[in-house]
Amino acid sequence: MGLDEDSLDYHRREPPGKIEISTTKPTNTQRDLSLAYSPGVAAPCNEIDADAEAAYSYTAKGNLVGVVSNGSAVLGLGDIGAQASKPVMEGKGVLFKRFADIDVFDLELEQADPKDIVRTVSAMEPTFGGINLEDIKAPECFEIEERLREEIDIPVFHDDQHGTAIISGAALLNATEINGKDLENLEIVFSGAGASAIATARFYVSLGARKENITMCDSSGIITENRAARGDVNEYKTEFARDVPEGDLADAMAGADVFVGLSVGGIVSEEMVRSMAADPVIFAMANPDPEIGYEEAKAAREDTVIMATGRSDYPNMVNNVLGFPFIFRGALDVRASDINEDMKVAAAEALADLAKKDVPDAVVKAYGDQPLQFGPDYIIPKPLDPRVLFEIAPAVAEAAMESGVARSELDTDEYVETLEARLGKSREMMRVVLNKAKSDPKRVALAEGTDEKMIRAAYQIRDQGIAEPVLIGDQAEIAATADDLGLDFDPTVADPSTGDYEAYADRLYELRRRKGITRSEAGELVRKDSNYFGSVMVEQGDADAMLTGLTHHYPSALRPPLQVIGTAPDADYAAGVYLLTFKNRVVFCADATVNQDPDEEVLAEITRHTAELARRFNVEPRAAMLSYSNFGSVDNEGTRKPRRAAETLREDPSVDFPVDGEMQADTAVVSDILNGTYEFSDLEDPANVLVFPNLEAGNIGYKLLQRLGGAEAIGPMLVGMDKPVHVLQRGDEVKDIVNLAGVAVVDAQQNE
């Protein structure tokens, strides 16, 4: 099937469309319904009647945006009417929810007169926290936005005007940094003089460009003062009329530094590109076909052409989704009365700054593993980069507060944490640990220090103040890789091939000489195996923690730290734990990586250590010993092990958390089963520490929960070691390394 057929099938699949309404409060009982509706709903109604601002506390208004269109300028389809625009407006709602967790009602209005649209939208002000105008033709769109901003007290944003302006503005800031030109001296040419072009030209002036250096062309040529005097252009185009000779687009582009295309495809030739000034910037943003193709523009000249388009199959896609969800997020969260110029500039500057930062592995993978590093082919972030939310929304919120349009104040540092929670429970949980780590950073040895991911992780770990990373490996190779990656930092490196580490070899020999290792073999292991080197480094106190496993199988990575560092004084066994996060709960799964067939003593010890780990994440543990039996319903040696482990723990006066079992997995996590059928259980609430009876069950269980249950996994985290060691999974991403480094630092803090 072609794209059209695929899209039609996608949209008509049951249920038709792309959005639905879901409830955010329980509706399972008669009492729930009496609270949600009559008679209980009268209480918040009375509160809002007494104080209209209470609507933000008792209703969804503060997180609800109205997406409004009359269908008069829909994408490249033109005036197709209100009804036909609905798939686009639903899609806009999907983007709001997907990228910024904002709810949307789409409103398709069968109205052409701007006054009617203004009247209708104004009447719905009590419903919404903000209004996003969409696909309304010019010049009516200017009047509608201006009048709505005057008449209603919630933010109004016409994305067709300002979205492209903000995103391309961020691109322009970085393009001028790369080619070394001053924004205020740029000669800028626009092809197109519609709503988007006029708003973009205005915004470039806000960023520092000079209005007198902007030449705008419509289908009739350069917009000049002579044309304006003849009444040849409307009042909005007149704003950018220049006192220059009349001419066409080719005349305008000669000697220009920047071309901004918001018109139609194929109207710019290679010759026109060659006529531009040195190292030109070309934003050919007509869709689906740009004013000039990417390859043609690049081939037209031998100097640096910085090129952006509106297409995803070329570098530097100017995509409005990089703007509107996050701008509204920041505006809503400070209950702004407007989205003003300061907020738009803050968004563009934040977006430009983000493009200079190291790109997460998940983003690189999403775009086909193409290199993403600040430069001519990467001047704006990718839409799927989750960090856009954490950069733009706080910048917009802060600008709103500073410019006086915010009606509530927030702490921007704390705000970032609430934004992370919107993207998933795992981010919220890791923020707890990373904040603890930052309070007292420790030295963390990264055993596979020459690996690109380890170097990038070391940069982020130090940059965020989580730890002082020590990369183990060849110093020259590490420095060269860091330089190739554009990472501006001088990493701490422990190079076994050049440093004086004979003491490490002596210590390894001392520990393992009765385990078959000779002195010469110990020296060789320290020089050639970074896992042994790192293990001795931690054991000797020259580092506080260690990460390894990125390029090794788990057992081979675990063996050296077990041999050298060993388990803690109160532990005989290590275990691997995964933290799985769901929308409204978290569970710790143990053991998923180490002990193949633990007896009841090992199961009890694993449970104690996992409970300690849970508390490092500020989670009070409730442990369940899992089995295929419920409290003796099956009696054999396999079911007795978890049963006896639970009994051992309950009898231990040092165990200060509830634990029970043996029990089936659904009994452990479903309150109705646990409290209804087995009301005698020591667990009053569902378990959050799940201890599996053996390694096979644990590994199968956590992977099924992750893949089918939609859980996000953090780990594996190694518990029971004498000093903090965590073994990564092969292929883990940089964020996984950074997260485990944070866990390792908190482990080291606990050890002190």
Side-chain angles (χ1 to χ4, degrees):
M1 278 195 292
L3 182 61
D4 287 351
E5 290 79 8
D6 285 345
S7 180
L8 291 172
D9 180 64
Y10 173 90
H11 282 83
R12 67 175 167 240
R13 195 181 309 150
E14 289 293 331
K18 299 186 286 284
I19 59 176
E20 67 178 5
I21 295 175
S22 62
T23 58
T24 59
K25 301 294 190 297
T27 56
N28 301 316
T29 67
Q30 178 59 39
R31 177 166 176 76
D32 291 340
L33 295 177
S34 69
L35 293 172
Y37 196 53
S38 181
V41 75
C45 289
N46 288 329
E47 292 293 317
I48 297 168
D49 182 41
D51 177 10
E53 292 296 298
Y56 288 94
S57 299
Y58 294 113
T59 75
K61 175 185 173 81
N63 196 50
L64 187 60
V65 167
V67 173
V68 179
S69 180
N70 68 351
S72 58
V74 179
L75 301 177
L77 304 175
D79 187 353
I80 60 174
Q83 189 76 76
S85 75
K86 188 170 177 62
V88 179
M89 302 312 122
E90 284 189 356
K92 199 79 173 186
V94 169
L95 298 179
F96 267 108
K97 189 66 177 177
R98 162 65 176 79
F99 289 101
D101 193 30
I102 293 172
D103 297 317
V104 161
F105 286 160
D106 59 292
L107 303 169
E108 293 76 32
L109 305 180
E110 198 67 73
Q111 295 173 324
D113 189 327
K115 294 183 180 63
D116 292 336
I117 295 174
V118 170
R119 189 180 304 112
T120 300
V121 176
S122 296
M124 290 187 286
E125 179 182 358
T127 303
F128 298 108
I131 297 293
N132 183 96
L133 300 174
E134 193 76 19
D135 292 351
I136 301 173
K137 69 183 179 71
E140 289 89 337
C141 61
F142 296 109
E143 179 184 347
I144 292 168
E145 184 189 34
E146 288 169 6
R147 288 188 55 191
L148 281 173
R149 290 180 66 184
E150 292 171 0
E151 292 191 14
I152 64 178
D153 202 28
I154 57 176
V156 178
F157 185 82
H158 184 207
D159 190 41
D160 300 306
Q161 289 185 55
H162 310 299
T164 300
I166 292 166
I167 312 310
S168 68
L172 184 63
L173 290 174
N174 281 338
T176 54
E177 181 174 328
I178 291 167
N179 66 19
K181 297 184 180 182
D182 292 328
L183 193 59
E184 65 176 350
N185 295 325
L186 293 178
E187 287 288 340
I188 304 172
V189 173
F190 277 79
S191 174
S196 183
I198 291 170
T200 300
R202 289 172 175 171
F203 188 67
Y204 288 2
V205 173
S206 296
L207 291 177
R210 290 193 295 192
K211 185 178 177 182
E212 56 267 30
N213 290 348
I214 295 175
T215 301
M216 188 168 287
C217 301
D218 61 11
S219 58
S220 299
I222 299 172
I223 297 173
T224 65
E225 290 185 357
N226 284 338
R227 287 184 62 195
R230 295 196 304 264
D232 209 15
V233 295
N234 64 40
E235 61 179 298
Y236 299 102
K237 294 182 182 181
T238 300
E239 181 181 344
F240 288 95
R242 288 189 69 177
D243 184 14
V244 296
E246 295 184 18
D248 59 15
L249 181 60
D251 297 320
M253 287 183 65
D257 297 290
V258 179
F259 168 81
V260 181
L262 290 160
S263 52
V264 294
I267 63 171
V268 174
S269 67
E270 292 187 36
E271 182 60 36
M272 293 160 74
V273 172
R274 282 192 285 271
S275 76
M276 296 178 71
D279 300 324
V281 176
I282 298 175
F283 295 164
M285 297 179 286
N287 260 328
D289 300 314
E291 285 81 359
I292 182 170
Y294 180 85
E295 293 88 353
E296 290 81 3
K298 287 283 193 178
R301 314 176 54 115
E302 293 184 358
D303 57 359
T304 301
V305 176
I306 300 178
M307 177 81 172
T309 71
R311 293 177 56 134
S312 61
D313 50 350
Y314 293 112
N316 301 324
M317 180 189 185
V318 178
N319 190 327
N320 285 15
V321 79
L322 282 166
F324 68 85
F326 316 109
I327 293 167
F328 267 101
R329 180 76 274 157
L332 292 174
D333 290 338
V334 294
R335 286 172 43 200
S337 60
D338 189 18
I339 295 175
N340 61 25
E341 205 67 12
D342 289 347
M343 295 159 74
K344 297 169 194 171
V345 170
E349 291 176 344
L351 197 59
D353 289 342
L354 179 58
K356 301 169 191 174
K357 299 181 180 180
D358 189 44
V359 182
D361 291 338
V363 178
V364 176
K365 287 180 180 178
Y367 290 91
D369 290 317
Q370 59 180 292
L372 298 177
Q373 186 174 329
F374 182 63
D377 288 336
Y378 184 70
I379 56 175
I380 42 177
K382 295 293 188 180
L384 292 178
D385 191 331
R387 300 172 302 166
V388 178
L389 175 63
F390 313 137
E391 298 292 333
I392 293 185
V396 169
E398 188 166 1
M401 291 186 289
E402 291 178 354
S403 62
V405 297
R407 286 173 290 196
S408 65
E409 298 286 319
L410 51 77
D411 181 284
T412 51
D413 291 334
E414 294 177 0
Y415 180 45
V416 171
E417 296 183 18
T418 65
L419 291 173
E420 288 192 337
R422 285 186 177 276
L423 288 191
K425 195 72 174 175
S426 64
R427 289 180 175 273
E428 182 182 358
M429 299 302 297
M430 277 311 309
R431 182 54 51 192
V432 170
V433 168
L434 294 178
N435 284 342
K436 288 182 179 180
K438 291 175 184 179
S439 69
D440 185 17
K442 303 296 181 185
R443 296 160 298 171
V444 178
L446 305 178
E448 297 138 314
T450 58
D451 187 272
E452 178 183 309
K453 289 182 181 178
M454 282 293 195
I455 296 169
R456 290 170 54 208
Y459 173 77
Q460 292 186 26
I461 290 165
R462 179 186 287 180
D463 184 59
Q464 296 177 36
I466 296 167
E468 178 56 45
V470 181
L471 292 161
I472 300 173
D474 184 276
Q475 183 151 11
E477 183 180 350
I478 291 170
T481 302
D483 187 59
D484 289 343
L485 292 169
L487 302 178
D488 184 20
F489 85 126
D490 183 20
T492 301
V493 177
D495 187 343
S497 65
T498 59
D500 182 11
Y501 295 109
E502 286 303 307
Y504 283 10
D506 291 340
R507 180 56 176 162
L508 180 59
Y509 174 59
E510 180 183 348
L511 291 169
R512 303 298 296 170
R513 62 190 176 188
R514 293 187 178 274
K515 303 292 183 180
I517 290 183
T518 66
R519 176 59 179 77
S520 62
E521 288 172 335
E524 188 75 3
L525 285 172
V526 165
R527 285 191 301 274
K528 297 295 179 64
D529 191 324
S530 62
N531 285 323
Y532 277 102
F533 184 96
S535 298
V536 178
M537 176 180 259
V538 172
E539 194 270 345
Q540 288 291 281
D542 294 333
D544 302 297
M546 170 181 164
L547 300 185
T548 185
L550 194 62
T551 60
H552 294 77
H553 290 294
Y554 195 91
S556 61
L558 179 59
R559 190 175 301 112
L562 278 176
Q563 292 177 350
V564 174
I565 298 171
T567 56
D570 63 343
D572 294 314
Y573 305 94
V577 181
Y578 275 94
L579 167 58
L580 299 182
T581 65
F582 301 85
K583 185 174 182 180
N584 295 315
R585 70 163 66 179
V586 299
V587 294
F588 294 82
C589 296
D591 172 16
T593 61
V594 180
N595 298 281
Q596 289 193 12
D597 189 21
D599 59 22
E600 58 263 32
E601 180 183 342
V602 178
L603 287 174
E605 187 174 307
I606 290 171
T607 306
R608 280 194 293 267
H609 294 316
T610 306
E612 292 169 2
L613 177 65
R615 282 179 168 149
R616 289 172 201 168
F617 283 86
N618 289 355
V619 174
E620 275 304 307
R622 301 183 299 273
M625 316 302 296
L626 300 185
S627 176
Y628 64 94
S629 167
N630 269 323
F631 305 105
S633 61
V634 177
D635 187 35
N636 58 39
E637 188 54 36
T639 62
R640 290 181 203 126
K641 285 196 304 180
R643 191 185 312 153
R644 289 195 291 257
E647 291 169 354
T648 299
L649 290 165
R650 287 199 299 271
E651 293 168 0
D652 186 342
S654 68
V655 174
D656 59 351
F657 57 88
V659 57
D660 212 340
E662 84 288 11
M663 67 179 72
Q664 295 176 1
D666 57 347
T667 302
V669 299
V670 178
S671 181
D672 287 348
I673 301 176
L674 187 65
N675 297 322
T677 307
Y678 304 104
E679 73 285 349
F680 56 82
S681 172
D682 285 357
L683 297 180
E684 295 182 1
D685 295 302
N688 52 30
V689 171
L690 305 180
V691 182
F692 290 83
N694 55 51
L695 182 61
E696 186 174 27
N699 198 269
I700 292 170
Y702 100 80
K703 288 185 176 179
L704 283 174
L705 285 169
Q706 182 184 9
R707 300 301 181 184
L708 297 181
E712 293 185 58
I714 298 172
M717 294 170 279
L718 203 59
V719 296
M721 296 292 291
D722 190 31
K723 293 188 177 181
V725 176
H726 292 292
V727 180
L728 299 152
Q729 295 282 359
R730 296 181 76 182
D732 270 353
E733 298 178 359
V734 171
K735 71 176 180 66
D736 301 311
I737 304 171
V738 174
N739 284 344
L740 280 184
V743 174
V745 170
V746 175
D747 289 344
Q749 293 170 349
Q750 294 290 324
N751 284 355
E752 288 183 345

